[in-house]
Amino acid sequence: MRCHCFVAIIATIAPTTSCFSIASSSTATRQPNGYSQSIGHHRRQPSLHDDNDVGSNNPFTITRTQHHHYLTSTSLQSSSILSALPAVRIPATDIVRTVIGIILARRISNSGLKKKSLNQSGALSAFIVASLSLATSWRNGITLLAFYWTSSKLTRVGSKIKGKLEEGATEGGERGAMQVFACSLIGVICACIRRLLVGSDGPLRLGGSSVTTAILGDQLTLAYVAFFACCAGDTWASELGVLSKSLPRLIIKPWKKVPPGTNGGISVVGLGASAAGGMLMGLLHGVFVPGGIASLMLPFNNYWPSSALSAIPPAQFGREVLVLTFVGFMGGFGGSLLDSLLGATVQATYYDDETKKIAKRSGPTTTKVGGWGFLSNEMVNVVSTAMSALVTALVARPLLNWI
């Protein structure tokens, strides 16, 4: 048995007859104990003989027929293993959507680079996350693109006023890889996990199923919406709240007014903007649910008979829109409050006495006006969005059964 195991290993590594040839008499001599002596060291050599060769008592001797039978059986085993693997079939619609997603992501990232809303690393990062989102489903990609498009547009609103209040507030509002990933990566991961483990995108099944995959699908969809609702809520609040005519108040000290742009400062305009941004993300995600638009065409089946094949019931479509809009509102409004709370405590805010602006980092002319400086702005975004997505995934599903 030991002999055959050894031969099997050698045959697998190099199944050629040369591996089993006996060293020639000019370089090695046969030893009584089955060893061959060769150039300064000893090693056990397996021997390959003809079938009618009865010569050696070497336990490491095999015949050519045995060698051939072994290689044949190994080849058959490999073929059976490969044939047992499941065939992976990718739907044509997924391929088309992925290709279109890559084209759109490339155009969008290049446009952001030309308009200076993204730098080089930001454009590459935006291309990656946009391609992956569109590859998972249309509405995932639409939600992500809507967030970036609205954020880019709002960055330019009141850019001259913002430049007077905050350091580094340029008209283009260039974003790098860290900012892009902080406001997209966790959501995109949720979308990819849902596509891989649950399958194609579809409407929520709140209270309608106890199947594990259905529950996981709902949780990941709700987490995706809450994530981008929080991102949109924070961005809209930051871009529009700073333009408020009244000074913001520190969230941990509501009686204290702070300069516009201070981390942790909140205002009525900012809170309203955060709620609106989150609701828009949820609304879009609900409207573009697979089969949702088709359900609106059911009254016109005589003109578009194919729409009935992919349509979901109108009542289910309405519930999808209502639930996700509500989740978006909670994610935008609640996530913005959480972001402000973290900004007022674990993120430092500096005020430049010379330029009379909020500074991003300390300097010789700056004064710290709040926060402890444990986390950067990007890390605060990561923590707030991740917590919003996690809480929504764990809590929202059972609470939304009443809708």
Side-chain angles (χ1 to χ4, degrees), residues 210-280:
S210 59
V211 181
T212 303
T213 54
I215 296 174
L216 178 62
D218 285 357
Q219 290 175 330
L220 291 172
T221 297
L222 294 171
Y224 187 90
V225 172
F227 176 87
F228 281 105
C230 180
C231 291
D234 175 57
T235 302
W236 284 37
S238 299
E239 298 296 346
L240 298 179
V242 72
L243 302 177
S244 174
K245 295 182 179 180
S246 59
L247 291 176
R249 296 177 181 271
L250 196 63
I251 188 172
I252 57 175
K253 297 178 180 179
W255 60 87
K256 181 180 179 180
K257 294 182 179 181
V258 293
T262 301
N263 296 315
I266 58 174
S267 64
V268 175
V269 173
L271 292 176
S274 65
M279 290 177 66
L280 178 63

Side-chain angles (χ1 to χ4, degrees), residues 26-381:
S26 60
T27 58
T29 58
R30 174 78 63 181
Q31 299 298 322
N33 60 359
Y35 285 84
S36 60
Q37 183 177 1
S38 175
I39 311 179
H41 63 279
H42 296 279
R43 61 182 177 181
R44 190 178 294 271
Q45 295 279 0
S47 303
L48 185 63
H49 289 268
D50 292 331
D51 293 350
N52 57 0
D53 188 355
V54 295
S56 175
N57 293 325
N58 187 350
F60 287 87
T61 300
I62 63 174
T63 66
R64 297 183 186 278
T65 301
Q66 290 173 329
H67 181 216
H68 174 73
H69 287 168
Y70 171 76
L71 293 179
T72 303
S73 63
T74 302
S75 177
L76 291 175
Q77 291 175 2
S78 301
S79 300
S80 63
I81 292 173
L82 291 175
S83 62
L85 293 175
V88 179
R89 296 181 179 179
I90 302 177
T93 53
D94 286 1
I95 297 175
V96 172
R97 187 182 62 249
T98 301
V99 172
I100 294 176
I102 292 174
I103 296 173
L104 285 176
R106 185 174 182 273
R107 294 189 63 179
I108 292 169
S109 59
N110 287 340
S111 175
L113 192 61
K114 291 179 181 178
K115 294 180 180 179
K116 296 184 178 181
S117 61
L118 297 170
N119 59 23
Q120 289 284 352
S121 64
L124 177 60
S125 305
F127 170 78
I128 293 172
V129 295
S131 298
L132 290 175
S133 293
L134 285 164
T136 56
S137 77
W138 284 116
R139 67 168 175 173
N140 286 340
I142 290 172
T143 302
L144 179 141
L145 295 179
F147 162 65
Y148 279 116
W149 184 81
T150 56
S151 299
S152 178
K153 293 298 182 182
L154 290 178
T155 300
R156 294 178 172 84
V157 175
S159 57
K160 294 182 179 180
I161 298 176
K162 294 173 185 176
K164 297 177 181 179
L165 300 175
E166 296 179 279
E167 179 187 55
T170 60
E171 185 176 352
E174 288 189 352
R175 290 173 170 84
M178 285 295 296
Q179 291 173 300
V180 172
F181 283 141
C183 294
S184 59
L185 188 59
I186 295 176
V188 173
I189 290 175
C190 289
C192 292
I193 292 175
R194 192 199 186 285
R195 185 65 182 87
L196 292 173
L197 299 184
V198 180
S200 299
D201 193 11
L204 298 171
R205 300 182 183 181
L206 300 175
S209 176
S210 59
V211 181
T212 303
T213 54
I215 296 174
L216 178 62
D218 285 357
Q219 290 175 330
L220 291 172
T221 297
L222 294 171
Y224 187 90
V225 172
F227 176 87
F228 281 105
C230 180
C231 291
D234 175 57
T235 302
W236 284 37
S238 299
E239 298 296 346
L240 298 179
V242 72
L243 302 177
S244 174
K245 295 182 179 180
S246 59
L247 291 176
R249 296 177 181 271
L250 196 63
I251 188 172
I252 57 175
K253 297 178 180 179
W255 60 87
K256 181 180 179 180
K257 294 182 179 181
V258 293
T262 301
N263 296 315
I266 58 174
S267 64
V268 175
V269 173
L271 292 176
S274 65
M279 290 177 66
L280 178 63
M281 298 299 107
L283 177 64
L284 290 174
H285 208 76
V287 167
F288 289 99
V289 61
I293 301 297
S295 69
L296 299 178
M297 308 303 295
L298 289 177
F300 310 98
N301 279 344
N302 294 333
Y303 303 98
W304 292 281
S306 60
S307 64
L309 299 177
S310 59
I312 61 176
Q316 186 180 18
F317 177 50
R319 187 188 188 199
E320 184 88 4
V321 174
L322 182 61
V323 167
L324 293 183
T325 302
F326 178 74
V327 170
F329 167 77
M330 295 303 297
F333 186 79
S336 179
L337 290 177
L338 176 60
D339 187 271
S340 297
L341 180 62
L342 293 173
T345 54
V346 297
Q347 181 183 359
T349 301
Y350 299 95
Y351 183 78
D352 194 321
D353 298 316
E354 183 176 327
T355 61
K356 307 298 180 183
K357 297 179 181 180
I358 294 294
K360 293 184 176 181
R361 57 188 61 85
S362 63
T365 60
T366 60
T367 302
K368 189 167 76 169
V369 294
W372 296 321
F374 292 157
L375 298 179
S376 64
N377 182 66
E378 288 77 15
M379 289 307 301
V380 167
N381 291 336

